[in-house]
Amino acid sequence: MKVTHFNQAVINICERDSRIDKDAYDFLKDALDYASDQAQKTGAPNNHVSASDLLAGIRDYALKQFGPMAATLFAEWNVTKCSDFGDMVFNLIDEGIFSKQESDNREDFIEIFDFKETFETPFLPKRKSEQKK
């Protein structure tokens, strides 16, 4: 995909739907590349990345790239739940940037994991009772 085409698509999307910051779309594109690479390493049969695979890639890529700052960045971009990524994916599908299979739908992105548990809890200090174990 050409960068200028992607950038114009994101501008179009943000003009229609300004809920999510444009930087989140750049992250999504990079996370999709990461998820695709991971799928190829495991011998996935085609180039299609399912919603659950994409969300796993988003989770892993965000933690790898941003660590404890992932939750802060997502909040800054107004991405607070998995379904926000589904909205972004389908916005990019509507713009002709991403493709989908007939079986793909927004509901595939509904709360596959909890953002707070995934991006905040692992970085909180342990309570004294937990440290003694």
Side-chain angles (χ1 to χ4, degrees):
M1 114 186 51
K2 289 186 175 184
V3 173
T4 55
H5 188 62
F6 178 83
N7 290 341
Q8 185 58 53
V10 171
I11 289 168
N12 296 343
I13 291 166
C14 290
E15 286 175 356
R16 284 193 318 269
D17 181 359
S18 61
R19 292 175 299 139
I20 297 172
D21 189 276
K22 68 179 184 61
D23 290 336
Y25 285 92
D26 290 328
F27 168 80
L28 175 60
K29 180 173 59 80
D30 293 342
L32 175 60
D33 291 341
Y34 178 84
S36 295
D37 289 345
Q38 296 304 109
Q40 286 180 349
K41 288 178 185 175
T42 62
N46 60 30
N47 291 333
H48 183 70
V49 175
S50 70
S52 59
D53 289 341
L54 176 55
L55 288 168
I58 287 168
R59 179 195 61 223
D60 296 347
Y61 186 70
L63 291 171
K64 185 176 184 177
Q65 293 297 307
F66 308 127
M69 291 302 297
T72 302
L73 279 170
F74 287 145
E76 183 70 24
W77 295 338
N78 202 30
V79 177
T80 59
K81 56 193 176 298
C82 294
S83 60
D84 291 335
F85 282 112
D87 291 343
M88 294 166 59
V89 165
F90 277 85
N91 285 340
L92 289 165
I93 289 169
D94 291 344
E95 284 290 320
I97 299 298
F98 288 0
S99 61
K100 75 179 200 92
Q101 295 181 344
E102 271 191 51
S103 60
D104 294 335
N105 59 65
R106 287 180 193 261
E107 289 76 31
D108 297 338
F109 289 88
I110 294 178
E111 310 334 311
I112 301 298
F113 58 81
D114 179 87
F115 263 50
K116 184 175 182 76
E117 185 177 305
T118 300
F119 298 118
E120 293 179 32
T121 303
F123 301 103
L124 295 175
K126 303 267 189 265
R127 288 185 263 164
K128 288 184 181 182
S129 62
E130 292 175 353
Q131 290 175 349
K132 292 178 183 178
K133 291 181 182 179

